[in-house]
Amino acid sequence: MSFAHLHVHTEYSLLDGFSNIKKLVQRAKELTCPLCYHDHGTMFGVITFTTPLLQLGQADHWHGDLYGGRG
């Protein structure tokens, strides 16, 4: 492994990103490239993202930008 993509947005991201998780994980497998889940405003895709990675024997890494406000 010579590269790890640490900032991957999925179709669950509220602000940007439109990557289909299944296609993304398949391509990462072909390239032997680890991925890190990173969506804006939500963590809804974590399970969908993590499950196929674990099945491939890759570690699951994830973080997100979450927002709050006074209310």
Side-chain angles (χ1 to χ4, degrees):
M1 173 203 44
S2 60
F3 178 80
H5 201 307
L6 300 178
H7 199 97
V8 174
H9 298 284
T10 72
E11 68 257 40
Y12 292 93
S13 186
L14 297 180
L15 294 178
D16 57 3
F18 198 64
S19 299
N20 178 275
I21 291 175
K22 290 180 182 179
K23 291 178 182 178
L24 187 65
V25 170
Q26 180 59 39
R27 185 67 175 146
K29 176 185 174 187
E30 293 168 4
L31 298 173
T32 62
C33 175
L35 300 172
C36 181
Y37 173 95
H38 181 112
D39 278 345
H40 288 280
T42 180
M43 297 297 281
F44 293 128
V46 169
I47 300 299
T48 307
F49 182 83
T50 299
T51 303
L53 285 179
L54 293 177
Q55 291 171 347
L56 293 175
Q58 286 193 19
D60 60 323
H61 302 285
W62 45 271
H63 62 275
D65 293 334
L66 303 178
Y67 311 99
R70 297 178 192 209

